[in-house]
Amino acid sequence: MSTDHSAKVQRDAEGRLRHLITLDGLSRDEIVALLDLAQFYARTPGELAARDQTLAGHTVANLFFEPSTRTRVSFELAAQRLGADVVNLDMQSSSRVKGETVLDTIYTLQAMQADILVMRDAEPGLPAYVAKYVAPHVCILNAGEAHLSHPTQGLLDALTVRQTKGDFAKLKILIAGDLSHSRVARSAWHAFTTLGVAELRIAAPEDLMPGKDEFKGATRFTDIDKAISGVDVVMTLRIQRERMSGASIPDEATYHHTFGITADRLAKANKDAIVMHPGPMNRDVEIASAVADGPQSVIQRQVTNGVAVRMAVLATIARNVQARRHFQ
Ligand code: NCD
């Protein structure tokens, strides 16, 4: 199923976002509005969390068919901080394992009046498929779809860049690592290009470089030392072995040596460049431990922003549902 299809399915008849499945097709204004709202909800660690009752009376169900720590917990906290009831389904022991279809699981939750279903799954096209069958008041939020899309991660990455580096029109951003299997990279590409980044570079070993029909407008590198020179933002990615069949990838030490973000490599970027990683990190593989914990790392800030962005997405989607009800 194409992302183009997801871009259409996620809107209601009036063109409002009803689900969030992909950043594909979101306008600059829509993304900026989500980032602005997320900034309103953002707090620095140690401050009390923003809380309101925007989602009071709503039930958010987290359905993660793939492992997750950051994304699942931050959706849960985001929903709670907006006053929703939250249920987390343990999908390893769910009915799907017993042969129930995903749609039947969804209908079961819908019958219990869950309104917002947050889904992560390895099957491409599943969120858009499910979105077509749910009741009018039910929304689907994609929390990671195969290698294709991870819209809230793209938004939190954009928020982190905006907070720390400012105007996208002045920035050179590098996304480096296992691009071919990365939904994080695909959603970041949508966000950064829509926000008008001055230059986007992608760097991957030959075997992990996506086809030319993807990441349009980005400059491609297979040499990380060339790619990193003079950039303002370095986003590095985990090698996703669980999505590989047959790709020849070097052992961890060789990968670190030829492609890892080390302190020496980082010295080739702009002096005040930031380093990002979506997590989970493989320390001393795609990123040197010292860089991950170093002064240029904004990895913890990305995690903090994850909650704020998910609050913004939940609040926006819920507001759009209310608006639809109002006019029906
Ligand atoms: C990523 C994911 O699951 O797509 N993690 C995340 O959501 N923060 C990246 C990864 O698994 O490498």
Side-chain angles (χ1 to χ4, degrees):
M1 221 173 271
S2 70
T3 52
D4 188 44
H5 172 75
S6 300
K8 287 199 191 102
V9 166
Q10 68 185 351
R11 293 191 184 270
D12 65 18
E14 283 77 43
R16 281 181 296 248
L17 274 181
R18 171 179 165 191
H19 312 283
L20 183 65
I21 300 174
T22 174
L23 295 182
D24 189 8
L26 264 67
S27 67
R28 189 172 188 283
D29 286 352
E30 282 176 310
I31 292 184
V32 168
L34 284 166
L35 299 187
D36 288 348
L37 186 55
Q39 188 59 51
F40 166 77
Y41 287 125
R43 59 168 184 139
T44 40
E47 268 174 30
L48 279 182
R51 262 172 208 280
D52 65 39
Q53 292 298 309
T54 302
L55 288 189
H58 287 75
T59 301
V60 176
N62 278 322
L63 291 94
F64 282 67
F65 297 97
E66 278 192 328
S68 174
T69 308
R70 275 153 286 269
T71 308
R72 193 189 58 71
V73 173
S74 61
F75 262 114
E76 183 175 352
L77 287 175
Q80 284 174 350
R81 287 174 189 173
L82 293 174
D85 295 324
V86 188
V87 285
N88 294 305
L89 281 83
D90 177 4
M91 298 322 287
Q92 309 308 317
S93 61
S94 76
S95 301
R96 195 174 176 191
V97 178
K98 299 183 194 163
E100 183 174 80
T101 66
V102 177
L103 265 189
D104 282 331
T105 305
I106 301 281
Y107 287 147
T108 302
L109 289 164
Q110 198 173 276
M112 295 181 199
Q113 285 159 13
D115 316 285
I116 300 178
L117 308 180
V118 181
M119 290 184 59
R120 166 173 287 198
D121 196 83
E123 195 180 320
L126 193 70
Y129 170 76
V130 167
K132 282 197 296 191
Y133 291 99
V134 290
H137 68 281
V138 175
C139 311
I140 303 295
L141 302 185
N142 176 5
E145 173 190 8
H147 62 288
L148 282 179
S149 171
H150 193 351
T152 54
Q153 179 75 39
L155 293 170
L156 77 87
D157 289 336
L159 182 63
T160 306
V161 172
R162 192 175 85 167
Q163 285 173 346
T164 53
K165 303 303 296 177
D167 187 2
F168 282 85
K170 298 197 177 114
L171 298 180
K172 289 184 188 160
I173 300 183
L174 167 65
I175 309 178
D178 180 1
L179 279 139
S180 70
H181 300 100
S182 179
R183 54 193 175 208
V184 172
R186 284 173 177 79
S187 288
W189 171 79
H190 274 303
F192 297 157
T193 48
T194 307
L195 291 168
V197 65
E199 187 182 339
L200 187 62
R201 300 180 184 179
I202 57 171
E206 207 112 24
D207 272 352
L208 300 175
M209 183 65 93
K212 289 257 160 63
D213 53 326
E214 292 194 278
F215 294 94
K216 294 216 173 94
T219 326
R220 289 163 181 257
F221 292 84
T222 47
D223 180 339
I224 186 74
D225 292 289
K226 287 198 180 120
I228 203 169
S229 56
V231 298
D232 304 290
V233 175
V234 181
M235 180 193 286
T236 180
L237 305 164
R238 184 175 68 87
I239 301 187
Q240 309 217 352
R241 291 180 197 276
E242 73 274 21
R243 295 193 204 289
M244 293 184 195
S245 51
S248 75
I249 25 160
D251 64 80
E252 295 188 345
T254 310
Y255 186 85
H256 188 62
H257 182 67
T258 55
F259 227 84
I261 305 301
T262 59
D264 284 351
R265 284 208 169 102
L266 184 58
K268 296 177 183 167
N270 282 346
K271 166 166 106 314
D272 52 357
I274 56 163
V275 179
M276 305 172 70
H277 191 302
M281 277 187 282
N282 289 313
R283 287 174 177 265
D284 298 322
V285 183
E286 69 270 6
I287 185 165
S289 217
V291 171
D293 301 331
Q296 288 166 271
S297 168
V298 294
I299 294 169
Q300 293 306 322
R301 186 190 274 260
Q302 287 174 272
V303 177
T304 302
N305 283 337
V307 180
V309 154
R310 286 163 185 131
M311 288 174 82
V313 168
L314 286 164
T316 301
I317 294 287
R319 193 182 57 214
N320 289 349
V321 172
Q322 291 305 329
R324 225 174 14 255
R325 278 201 190 131
H326 190 70
F327 291 111
Q328 266 163 8

